[in-house]
Amino acid sequence: MLLLLITEFALAYKMGMQDAYRYLKKYDGLNFINEHWWALHTDNKFYAHRDLYNVCYENGGLR
């Protein structure tokens, strides 16, 4: 399921899979996924992507 979230994030922001993984890892998106998995996997894809992007943006990610 983690791979599915990363794949969908990559598609939503027009990134490659490796770039999306590195981006999420560098800016704590993967930690956010692990901590809030219970909410993200049941949420609408749009809101899950937006939340991931906002967490990364707040941690210094500008894309």
Side-chain angles (χ1 to χ4, degrees):
M1 216 48 178
L2 176 64
L3 183 60
L4 181 61
L5 270 176
I6 295 171
T7 302
E8 291 172 355
F9 184 84
L11 291 173
Y13 292 103
K14 296 175 178 64
M15 306 167 99
M17 280 290 295
Q18 289 180 342
D19 292 333
Y21 176 80
R22 288 182 191 132
Y23 181 81
L24 291 170
K25 185 174 181 176
K26 183 176 182 178
Y27 298 111
D28 292 329
L30 293 180
N31 290 336
F32 179 76
I33 291 171
N34 287 331
E35 291 174 16
H36 302 285
W37 174 252
W38 56 272
L40 289 174
H41 82 281
T42 59
D43 204 1
N44 185 326
K45 292 177 189 177
F46 171 79
Y47 297 115
H49 297 153
R50 185 193 63 187
D51 291 345
L52 275 174
Y53 178 81
N54 287 336
V55 165
C56 293
Y57 183 80
E58 290 174 5
N59 289 315
L62 300 173
R63 193 138 174 66

Short mmCIF file of all heavy atoms in Angstrom, two decimals:
data_model
loop_
_atom_site.label_atom_id
_atom_site.label_comp_id
_atom_site.label_asym_id
_atom_site.label_seq_id
_atom_site.Cartn_x
_atom_site.Cartn_y
_atom_site.Cartn_z
N MET A 1 0.81 -1.19 0.00
CA MET A 1 0.00 0.00 0.00
C MET A 1 0.86 1.25 0.00
O MET A 1 0.47 2.26 -0.57
CB MET A 1 -0.89 -0.05 1.24
CG MET A 1 -2.26 0.50 1.07
SD MET A 1 -3.12 -0.08 -0.36
CE MET A 1 -4.62 0.75 -0.10
N LEU A 2 2.00 1.21 0.65
CA LEU A 2 2.92 2.35 0.66
C LEU A 2 3.36 2.67 -0.76
O LEU A 2 3.39 3.83 -1.16
CB LEU A 2 4.13 2.06 1.54
CG LEU A 2 5.22 3.12 1.57
CD1 LEU A 2 4.68 4.41 2.18
CD2 LEU A 2 6.41 2.63 2.35
N LEU A 3 3.65 1.64 -1.52
CA LEU A 3 4.06 1.83 -2.90
C LEU A 3 2.96 2.49 -3.72
O LEU A 3 3.22 3.36 -4.55
CB LEU A 3 4.46 0.49 -3.53
CG LEU A 3 4.98 0.53 -4.96
CD1 LEU A 3 6.23 1.41 -5.05
CD2 LEU A 3 5.28 -0.85 -5.45
N LEU A 4 1.72 2.13 -3.44
CA LEU A 4 0.59 2.73 -4.14
C LEU A 4 0.49 4.23 -3.85
O LEU A 4 0.29 5.03 -4.76
CB LEU A 4 -0.71 2.03 -3.75
CG LEU A 4 -1.98 2.53 -4.42
CD1 LEU A 4 -1.90 2.34 -5.92
CD2 LEU A 4 -3.17 1.82 -3.85
N LEU A 5 0.67 4.62 -2.59
CA LEU A 5 0.63 6.05 -2.25
C LEU A 5 1.77 6.81 -2.92
O LEU A 5 1.57 7.92 -3.42
CB LEU A 5 0.72 6.23 -0.74
CG LEU A 5 -0.58 6.27 0.03
CD1 LEU A 5 -0.32 6.36 1.52
CD2 LEU A 5 -1.44 7.42 -0.41
N ILE A 6 2.95 6.23 -2.96
CA ILE A 6 4.09 6.89 -3.60
C ILE A 6 3.85 7.00 -5.11
O ILE A 6 4.11 8.04 -5.72
CB ILE A 6 5.40 6.15 -3.30
CG1 ILE A 6 5.72 6.24 -1.81
CG2 ILE A 6 6.55 6.73 -4.11
CD1 ILE A 6 6.86 5.38 -1.37
N THR A 7 3.32 5.95 -5.71
CA THR A 7 3.03 5.97 -7.15
C THR A 7 2.00 7.04 -7.48
O THR A 7 2.16 7.81 -8.43
CB THR A 7 2.51 4.59 -7.60
OG1 THR A 7 3.47 3.60 -7.30
CG2 THR A 7 2.21 4.58 -9.09
N GLU A 8 0.94 7.10 -6.70
CA GLU A 8 -0.10 8.10 -6.94
C GLU A 8 0.42 9.52 -6.71
O GLU A 8 0.05 10.45 -7.41
CB GLU A 8 -1.31 7.81 -6.06
CG GLU A 8 -2.03 6.55 -6.48
CD GLU A 8 -3.12 6.15 -5.51
OE1 GLU A 8 -3.27 6.80 -4.45
OE2 GLU A 8 -3.82 5.18 -5.80
N PHE A 9 1.28 9.69 -5.71
CA PHE A 9 1.89 11.00 -5.46
C PHE A 9 2.75 11.40 -6.65
O PHE A 9 2.71 12.55 -7.09
CB PHE A 9 2.73 10.95 -4.18
CG PHE A 9 3.33 12.26 -3.79
CD1 PHE A 9 2.58 13.17 -3.06
CD2 PHE A 9 4.62 12.59 -4.12
CE1 PHE A 9 3.13 14.39 -2.68
CE2 PHE A 9 5.18 13.81 -3.76
CZ PHE A 9 4.42 14.71 -3.03
N ALA A 10 3.53 10.46 -7.17
CA ALA A 10 4.38 10.74 -8.33
C ALA A 10 3.55 11.14 -9.54
O ALA A 10 3.89 12.09 -10.25
CB ALA A 10 5.23 9.51 -8.66
N LEU A 11 2.47 10.45 -9.78
CA LEU A 11 1.60 10.78 -10.91
C LEU A 11 0.92 12.13 -10.72
O LEU A 11 0.81 12.92 -11.66
CB LEU A 11 0.55 9.69 -11.11
CG LEU A 11 1.07 8.34 -11.60
CD1 LEU A 11 -0.06 7.32 -11.59
CD2 LEU A 11 1.67 8.46 -12.98
N ALA A 12 0.48 12.41 -9.51
CA ALA A 12 -0.23 13.67 -9.24
C ALA A 12 0.67 14.88 -9.45
O ALA A 12 0.21 15.92 -9.91
CB ALA A 12 -0.79 13.65 -7.83
N TYR A 13 1.94 14.74 -9.12
CA TYR A 13 2.87 15.88 -9.22
C TYR A 13 3.87 15.72 -10.36
O TYR A 13 4.88 16.41 -10.39
CB TYR A 13 3.57 16.10 -7.88
CG TYR A 13 2.59 16.59 -6.84
CD1 TYR A 13 2.09 15.74 -5.87
CD2 TYR A 13 2.13 17.89 -6.87
CE1 TYR A 13 1.17 16.18 -4.94
CE2 TYR A 13 1.21 18.35 -5.95
CZ TYR A 13 0.73 17.49 -5.00
OH TYR A 13 -0.19 17.93 -4.09
N LYS A 14 3.55 14.80 -11.29
CA LYS A 14 4.34 14.61 -12.51
C LYS A 14 5.84 14.41 -12.20
O LYS A 14 6.69 15.11 -12.72
CB LYS A 14 4.13 15.78 -13.46
CG LYS A 14 2.70 15.89 -13.95
CD LYS A 14 2.48 17.10 -14.80
CE LYS A 14 1.09 17.18 -15.34
NZ LYS A 14 0.05 17.32 -14.40
N MET A 15 6.09 13.44 -11.34
CA MET A 15 7.45 13.08 -10.95
C MET A 15 7.68 11.62 -11.31
O MET A 15 6.73 10.86 -11.46
CB MET A 15 7.63 13.21 -9.43
CG MET A 15 7.27 14.53 -8.83
SD MET A 15 7.17 14.42 -7.04
CE MET A 15 8.74 15.07 -6.58
N GLY A 16 8.94 11.25 -11.40
CA GLY A 16 9.28 9.85 -11.53
C GLY A 16 9.13 9.17 -10.17
O GLY A 16 9.09 9.83 -9.13
N MET A 17 9.06 7.86 -10.18
CA MET A 17 8.91 7.12 -8.92
C MET A 17 10.08 7.36 -7.98
O MET A 17 9.90 7.58 -6.79
CB MET A 17 8.78 5.62 -9.21
CG MET A 17 7.42 5.19 -9.65
SD MET A 17 6.24 5.30 -8.32
CE MET A 17 6.89 4.08 -7.20
N GLN A 18 11.30 7.32 -8.51
CA GLN A 18 12.48 7.53 -7.66
C GLN A 18 12.51 8.94 -7.12
O GLN A 18 12.86 9.15 -5.96
CB GLN A 18 13.75 7.23 -8.44
CG GLN A 18 13.95 5.77 -8.73
CD GLN A 18 15.22 5.50 -9.49
OE1 GLN A 18 15.79 6.40 -10.10
NE2 GLN A 18 15.68 4.26 -9.47
N ASP A 19 12.15 9.92 -7.96
CA ASP A 19 12.13 11.30 -7.51
C ASP A 19 11.09 11.51 -6.41
O ASP A 19 11.34 12.21 -5.43
CB ASP A 19 11.84 12.25 -8.67
CG ASP A 19 12.96 12.31 -9.68
OD1 ASP A 19 14.12 12.06 -9.29
OD2 ASP A 19 12.68 12.60 -10.85
N ALA A 20 9.93 10.90 -6.57
CA ALA A 20 8.88 11.02 -5.56
C ALA A 20 9.32 10.38 -4.25
O ALA A 20 9.13 10.96 -3.17
CB ALA A 20 7.60 10.37 -6.06
N TYR A 21 9.94 9.20 -4.32
CA TYR A 21 10.41 8.53 -3.11
C TYR A 21 11.46 9.38 -2.41
O TYR A 21 11.39 9.58 -1.19
CB TYR A 21 10.99 7.15 -3.44
CG TYR A 21 11.58 6.47 -2.24
CD1 TYR A 21 10.76 5.81 -1.33
CD2 TYR A 21 12.95 6.50 -2.00
CE1 TYR A 21 11.29 5.20 -0.21
CE2 TYR A 21 13.48 5.89 -0.88
CZ TYR A 21 12.66 5.25 0.01
OH TYR A 21 13.18 4.65 1.12
N ARG A 22 12.42 9.90 -3.16
CA ARG A 22 13.48 10.73 -2.56
C ARG A 22 12.90 12.00 -1.95
O ARG A 22 13.32 12.43 -0.88
CB ARG A 22 14.52 11.09 -3.62
CG ARG A 22 15.38 9.92 -4.00
CD ARG A 22 16.43 10.33 -5.01
NE ARG A 22 17.07 9.15 -5.56
CZ ARG A 22 17.25 8.95 -6.83
NH1 ARG A 22 16.88 9.84 -7.73
NH2 ARG A 22 17.84 7.85 -7.25
N TYR A 23 11.96 12.61 -2.65
CA TYR A 23 11.32 13.83 -2.16
C TYR A 23 10.59 13.56 -0.84
O TYR A 23 10.76 14.29 0.14
CB TYR A 23 10.35 14.36 -3.22
CG TYR A 23 9.63 15.62 -2.84
CD1 TYR A 23 10.23 16.86 -2.99
CD2 TYR A 23 8.32 15.58 -2.37
CE1 TYR A 23 9.57 18.03 -2.66
CE2 TYR A 23 7.65 16.74 -2.04
CZ TYR A 23 8.28 17.96 -2.18
OH TYR A 23 7.61 19.10 -1.85
N LEU A 24 9.80 12.50 -0.82
CA LEU A 24 9.05 12.16 0.39
C LEU A 24 9.98 11.78 1.53
O LEU A 24 9.72 12.13 2.69
CB LEU A 24 8.06 11.03 0.10
CG LEU A 24 6.89 11.41 -0.80
CD1 LEU A 24 6.11 10.16 -1.21
CD2 LEU A 24 5.99 12.42 -0.15
N LYS A 25 11.05 11.10 1.23
CA LYS A 25 12.00 10.71 2.27
C LYS A 25 12.74 11.92 2.82
O LYS A 25 12.88 12.09 4.03
CB LYS A 25 12.99 9.68 1.72
CG LYS A 25 13.93 9.15 2.76
CD LYS A 25 14.79 8.04 2.24
CE LYS A 25 15.69 7.55 3.34
NZ LYS A 25 16.48 6.41 2.93
N LYS A 26 13.20 12.78 1.93
CA LYS A 26 13.99 13.95 2.34
C LYS A 26 13.18 14.93 3.19
O LYS A 26 13.70 15.51 4.14
CB LYS A 26 14.53 14.66 1.10
CG LYS A 26 15.41 15.84 1.41
CD LYS A 26 16.00 16.43 0.15
CE LYS A 26 16.92 17.60 0.49
NZ LYS A 26 17.52 18.15 -0.73
N TYR A 27 11.91 15.10 2.85
CA TYR A 27 11.11 16.10 3.53
C TYR A 27 10.05 15.50 4.46
O TYR A 27 9.01 16.09 4.71
CB TYR A 27 10.46 17.03 2.49
CG TYR A 27 11.49 17.77 1.70
CD1 TYR A 27 11.69 17.50 0.35
CD2 TYR A 27 12.31 18.72 2.30
CE1 TYR A 27 12.65 18.17 -0.38
CE2 TYR A 27 13.27 19.40 1.57
CZ TYR A 27 13.44 19.12 0.24
OH TYR A 27 14.41 19.78 -0.47
N ASP A 28 10.33 14.33 4.99
CA ASP A 28 9.54 13.65 6.03
C ASP A 28 8.14 13.22 5.61
O ASP A 28 7.28 12.98 6.45
CB ASP A 28 9.45 14.51 7.30
CG ASP A 28 10.79 14.62 8.00
OD1 ASP A 28 11.58 13.66 7.91
OD2 ASP A 28 11.05 15.66 8.63
N GLY A 29 7.91 13.09 4.32
CA GLY A 29 6.63 12.58 3.86
C GLY A 29 6.44 11.11 4.22
O GLY A 29 5.33 10.69 4.55
N LEU A 30 7.52 10.33 4.16
CA LEU A 30 7.41 8.91 4.50
C LEU A 30 7.11 8.72 5.99
O LEU A 30 6.34 7.83 6.36
CB LEU A 30 8.69 8.16 4.12
CG LEU A 30 8.96 8.06 2.62
CD1 LEU A 30 10.26 7.30 2.38
CD2 LEU A 30 7.82 7.40 1.89
N ASN A 31 7.71 9.57 6.83
CA ASN A 31 7.39 9.50 8.26
C ASN A 31 5.92 9.85 8.50
O ASN A 31 5.27 9.22 9.33
CB ASN A 31 8.28 10.46 9.05
CG ASN A 31 9.71 10.01 9.10
OD1 ASN A 31 10.00 8.83 8.95
ND2 ASN A 31 10.61 10.94 9.29
N PHE A 32 5.42 10.83 7.77
CA PHE A 32 4.01 11.21 7.89
C PHE A 32 3.12 10.04 7.48
O PHE A 32 2.12 9.77 8.14
CB PHE A 32 3.73 12.43 7.02
CG PHE A 32 2.31 12.89 7.06
CD1 PHE A 32 1.82 13.57 8.15
CD2 PHE A 32 1.46 12.64 6.00
CE1 PHE A 32 0.51 14.01 8.19
CE2 PHE A 32 0.14 13.06 6.02
CZ PHE A 32 -0.33 13.75 7.14
N ILE A 33 3.48 9.37 6.41
CA ILE A 33 2.69 8.20 5.97
C ILE A 33 2.68 7.14 7.05
O ILE A 33 1.63 6.58 7.38
CB ILE A 33 3.24 7.63 4.65
CG1 ILE A 33 2.99 8.60 3.50
CG2 ILE A 33 2.61 6.27 4.34
CD1 ILE A 33 3.69 8.21 2.20
N ASN A 34 3.84 6.84 7.63
CA ASN A 34 3.92 5.81 8.67
C ASN A 34 3.12 6.18 9.92
O ASN A 34 2.47 5.33 10.52
CB ASN A 34 5.37 5.54 9.04
CG ASN A 34 6.10 4.78 7.96
OD1 ASN A 34 5.50 4.01 7.22
ND2 ASN A 34 7.39 5.00 7.86
N GLU A 35 3.16 7.45 10.31
CA GLU A 35 2.47 7.88 11.51
C GLU A 35 0.95 7.99 11.32
O GLU A 35 0.19 7.78 12.26
CB GLU A 35 3.01 9.23 11.98
CG GLU A 35 4.41 9.17 12.51
CD GLU A 35 4.98 10.54 12.84
OE1 GLU A 35 4.20 11.51 12.94
OE2 GLU A 35 6.20 10.63 12.98
N HIS A 36 0.52 8.34 10.11
CA HIS A 36 -0.90 8.60 9.87
C HIS A 36 -1.51 7.66 8.83
O HIS A 36 -2.46 8.03 8.14
CB HIS A 36 -1.08 10.06 9.43
CG HIS A 36 -0.56 11.04 10.43
ND1 HIS A 36 -1.22 11.31 11.60
CD2 HIS A 36 0.58 11.76 10.45
CE1 HIS A 36 -0.52 12.19 12.30
NE2 HIS A 36 0.57 12.47 11.62
N TRP A 37 -0.97 6.47 8.76
CA TRP A 37 -1.43 5.51 7.77
C TRP A 37 -2.92 5.23 7.91
O TRP A 37 -3.65 5.13 6.93
CB TRP A 37 -0.63 4.21 7.91
CG TRP A 37 -1.15 3.14 7.03
CD1 TRP A 37 -1.83 2.03 7.40
CD2 TRP A 37 -1.07 3.12 5.60
NE1 TRP A 37 -2.16 1.29 6.30
CE2 TRP A 37 -1.70 1.94 5.18
CE3 TRP A 37 -0.52 3.96 4.65
CZ2 TRP A 37 -1.81 1.60 3.85
CZ3 TRP A 37 -0.63 3.61 3.32
CH2 TRP A 37 -1.25 2.45 2.94
N TRP A 38 -3.40 5.14 9.14
CA TRP A 38 -4.80 4.80 9.41
C TRP A 38 -5.75 5.81 8.75
O TRP A 38 -6.84 5.45 8.34
CB TRP A 38 -5.06 4.71 10.89
CG TRP A 38 -4.67 5.96 11.63
CD1 TRP A 38 -3.44 6.25 12.15
CD2 TRP A 38 -5.49 7.10 11.89
NE1 TRP A 38 -3.45 7.50 12.72
CE2 TRP A 38 -4.69 8.05 12.57
CE3 TRP A 38 -6.80 7.42 11.61
CZ2 TRP A 38 -5.18 9.29 12.97
CZ3 TRP A 38 -7.28 8.66 12.02
CH2 TRP A 38 -6.48 9.57 12.70
N ALA A 39 -5.35 7.06 8.64
CA ALA A 39 -6.22 8.07 8.02
C ALA A 39 -5.97 8.17 6.51
O ALA A 39 -6.90 8.36 5.74
CB ALA A 39 -5.99 9.42 8.66
N LEU A 40 -4.72 8.08 6.09
CA LEU A 40 -4.38 8.28 4.69
C LEU A 40 -4.96 7.20 3.78
O LEU A 40 -5.38 7.50 2.67
CB LEU A 40 -2.87 8.35 4.50
CG LEU A 40 -2.18 9.59 5.02
CD1 LEU A 40 -0.68 9.45 4.90
CD2 LEU A 40 -2.66 10.83 4.29
N HIS A 41 -4.96 5.97 4.21
CA HIS A 41 -5.41 4.91 3.31
C HIS A 41 -6.93 4.89 3.15
O HIS A 41 -7.44 4.26 2.24
CB HIS A 41 -4.86 3.55 3.73
CG HIS A 41 -5.61 2.86 4.81
ND1 HIS A 41 -5.48 3.18 6.13
CD2 HIS A 41 -6.51 1.85 4.75
CE1 HIS A 41 -6.26 2.40 6.84
NE2 HIS A 41 -6.90 1.58 6.04
N THR A 42 -7.65 5.58 4.02
CA THR A 42 -9.10 5.64 3.87
C THR A 42 -9.57 6.97 3.29
O THR A 42 -10.72 7.11 2.92
CB THR A 42 -9.79 5.43 5.23
OG1 THR A 42 -9.36 6.45 6.14
CG2 THR A 42 -9.48 4.07 5.79
N ASP A 43 -8.67 7.93 3.22
CA ASP A 43 -9.02 9.27 2.74
C ASP A 43 -9.08 9.31 1.22
O ASP A 43 -8.53 8.45 0.54
CB ASP A 43 -7.97 10.26 3.25
CG ASP A 43 -8.48 11.68 3.34
OD1 ASP A 43 -9.67 11.90 3.03
OD2 ASP A 43 -7.70 12.55 3.73
N ASN A 44 -9.74 10.32 0.70
CA ASN A 44 -9.77 10.57 -0.73
C ASN A 44 -8.34 10.80 -1.22
O ASN A 44 -7.54 11.43 -0.53
CB ASN A 44 -10.63 11.82 -0.98
CG ASN A 44 -10.82 12.11 -2.44
OD1 ASN A 44 -9.95 11.86 -3.26
ND2 ASN A 44 -11.98 12.67 -2.75
N LYS A 45 -8.01 10.30 -2.39
CA LYS A 45 -6.65 10.42 -2.92
C LYS A 45 -6.20 11.87 -3.01
O LYS A 45 -5.06 12.20 -2.71
CB LYS A 45 -6.55 9.78 -4.30
CG LYS A 45 -6.71 8.30 -4.29
CD LYS A 45 -6.67 7.75 -5.70
CE LYS A 45 -7.03 6.29 -5.71
NZ LYS A 45 -7.06 5.76 -7.06
N PHE A 46 -7.10 12.76 -3.41
CA PHE A 46 -6.75 14.16 -3.54
C PHE A 46 -6.28 14.73 -2.20
O PHE A 46 -5.27 15.41 -2.13
CB PHE A 46 -7.96 14.97 -4.06
CG PHE A 46 -7.73 16.45 -4.02
CD1 PHE A 46 -6.97 17.06 -5.00
CD2 PHE A 46 -8.25 17.22 -3.00
CE1 PHE A 46 -6.74 18.42 -4.97
CE2 PHE A 46 -8.03 18.58 -2.96
CZ PHE A 46 -7.27 19.19 -3.94
N TYR A 47 -7.01 14.44 -1.14
CA TYR A 47 -6.66 14.97 0.17
C TYR A 47 -5.40 14.32 0.73
O TYR A 47 -4.60 14.98 1.39
CB TYR A 47 -7.82 14.81 1.15
CG TYR A 47 -9.03 15.59 0.72
CD1 TYR A 47 -10.21 14.96 0.36
CD2 TYR A 47 -8.98 16.98 0.65
CE1 TYR A 47 -11.31 15.69 -0.05
CE2 TYR A 47 -10.09 17.71 0.24
CZ TYR A 47 -11.24 17.06 -0.11
OH TYR A 47 -12.32 17.78 -0.52
N ALA A 48 -5.20 13.05 0.46
CA ALA A 48 -3.99 12.37 0.90
C ALA A 48 -2.76 12.98 0.21
O ALA A 48 -1.75 13.26 0.87
CB ALA A 48 -4.06 10.88 0.62
N HIS A 49 -2.85 13.23 -1.09
CA HIS A 49 -1.74 13.85 -1.82
C HIS A 49 -1.49 15.27 -1.31
O HIS A 49 -0.34 15.68 -1.14
CB HIS A 49 -2.01 13.91 -3.32
CG HIS A 49 -2.15 12.58 -3.94
ND1 HIS A 49 -2.90 12.38 -5.07
CD2 HIS A 49 -1.67 11.37 -3.61
CE1 HIS A 49 -2.86 11.11 -5.41
NE2 HIS A 49 -2.12 10.47 -4.52
N ARG A 50 -2.56 16.01 -1.11
CA ARG A 50 -2.42 17.38 -0.63
C ARG A 50 -1.76 17.42 0.74
O ARG A 50 -0.87 18.23 0.99
CB ARG A 50 -3.78 18.05 -0.57
CG ARG A 50 -3.70 19.53 -0.20
CD ARG A 50 -5.02 20.09 0.16
NE ARG A 50 -5.49 19.37 1.36
CZ ARG A 50 -6.68 19.51 1.88
NH1 ARG A 50 -7.56 20.29 1.30
NH2 ARG A 50 -7.03 18.85 2.95
N ASP A 51 -2.17 16.52 1.63
CA ASP A 51 -1.58 16.48 2.96
C ASP A 51 -0.10 16.12 2.90
O ASP A 51 0.72 16.72 3.60
CB ASP A 51 -2.32 15.47 3.84
CG ASP A 51 -3.73 15.91 4.19
OD1 ASP A 51 -4.05 17.11 3.98
OD2 ASP A 51 -4.52 15.06 4.64
N LEU A 52 0.24 15.15 2.07
CA LEU A 52 1.65 14.78 1.90
C LEU A 52 2.47 15.95 1.37
O LEU A 52 3.56 16.24 1.86
CB LEU A 52 1.79 13.60 0.94
CG LEU A 52 1.64 12.22 1.52
CD1 LEU A 52 1.65 11.18 0.40
CD2 LEU A 52 2.73 11.94 2.50
N TYR A 53 1.93 16.63 0.37
CA TYR A 53 2.64 17.77 -0.19
C TYR A 53 2.82 18.87 0.85
O TYR A 53 3.90 19.45 0.98
CB TYR A 53 1.90 18.34 -1.41
CG TYR A 53 2.58 19.55 -1.98
CD1 TYR A 53 3.67 19.40 -2.82
CD2 TYR A 53 2.17 20.84 -1.64
CE1 TYR A 53 4.33 20.51 -3.33
CE2 TYR A 53 2.82 21.94 -2.14
CZ TYR A 53 3.89 21.77 -2.99
OH TYR A 53 4.55 22.87 -3.47
N ASN A 54 1.77 19.15 1.63
CA ASN A 54 1.85 20.20 2.66
C ASN A 54 2.89 19.87 3.73
O ASN A 54 3.63 20.74 4.17
CB ASN A 54 0.49 20.45 3.29
CG ASN A 54 -0.44 21.18 2.37
OD1 ASN A 54 0.00 21.89 1.45
ND2 ASN A 54 -1.73 21.03 2.59
N VAL A 55 2.96 18.61 4.14
CA VAL A 55 3.96 18.20 5.13
C VAL A 55 5.35 18.41 4.56
O VAL A 55 6.22 18.98 5.22
CB VAL A 55 3.76 16.72 5.54
CG1 VAL A 55 4.97 16.17 6.27
CG2 VAL A 55 2.52 16.58 6.38
N CYS A 56 5.57 18.00 3.33
CA CYS A 56 6.88 18.16 2.71
C CYS A 56 7.21 19.64 2.51
O CYS A 56 8.35 20.07 2.74
CB CYS A 56 6.94 17.43 1.37
SG CYS A 56 6.85 15.65 1.54
N TYR A 57 6.25 20.42 2.11
CA TYR A 57 6.45 21.86 1.89
C TYR A 57 6.84 22.54 3.20
O TYR A 57 7.76 23.36 3.24
CB TYR A 57 5.18 22.48 1.32
CG TYR A 57 5.32 23.94 1.00
CD1 TYR A 57 5.94 24.34 -0.18
CD2 TYR A 57 4.86 24.91 1.87
CE1 TYR A 57 6.09 25.69 -0.48
CE2 TYR A 57 5.00 26.25 1.58
CZ TYR A 57 5.60 26.64 0.40
OH TYR A 57 5.76 27.96 0.11
N GLU A 58 6.17 22.19 4.29
CA GLU A 58 6.48 22.77 5.59
C GLU A 58 7.86 22.37 6.09
O GLU A 58 8.44 23.07 6.91
CB GLU A 58 5.42 22.37 6.62
CG GLU A 58 4.08 23.03 6.37
CD GLU A 58 3.00 22.52 7.30
OE1 GLU A 58 3.31 21.72 8.22
OE2 GLU A 58 1.84 22.92 7.11
N ASN A 59 8.38 21.25 5.60
CA ASN A 59 9.71 20.79 5.99
C ASN A 59 10.79 21.19 5.00
O ASN A 59 11.88 20.61 5.00
CB ASN A 59 9.70 19.27 6.19
CG ASN A 59 8.94 18.88 7.42
OD1 ASN A 59 9.09 19.48 8.47
ND2 ASN A 59 8.07 17.89 7.31
N GLY A 60 10.49 22.15 4.13
CA GLY A 60 11.51 22.69 3.23
C GLY A 60 11.41 22.25 1.80
O GLY A 60 12.24 22.67 0.97
N GLY A 61 10.47 21.43 1.45
CA GLY A 61 10.34 20.96 0.07
C GLY A 61 9.61 21.96 -0.79
O GLY A 61 8.50 22.34 -0.49
N LEU A 62 10.26 22.40 -1.83
CA LEU A 62 9.64 23.33 -2.77
C LEU A 62 9.67 22.70 -4.14
O LEU A 62 10.73 22.49 -4.71
CB LEU A 62 10.38 24.66 -2.80
CG LEU A 62 10.45 25.42 -1.49
CD1 LEU A 62 11.36 26.63 -1.62
CD2 LEU A 62 9.07 25.84 -1.07
N ARG A 63 8.53 22.38 -4.69
CA ARG A 63 8.48 21.75 -6.00
C ARG A 63 7.39 22.35 -6.80
O ARG A 63 6.36 22.68 -6.40
CB ARG A 63 8.24 20.25 -5.84
CG ARG A 63 8.49 19.50 -7.12
CD ARG A 63 9.23 18.23 -6.77
NE ARG A 63 9.46 17.28 -7.76
CZ ARG A 63 10.24 17.41 -8.82
NH1 ARG A 63 10.78 18.52 -9.12
NH2 ARG A 63 10.47 16.40 -9.62
#
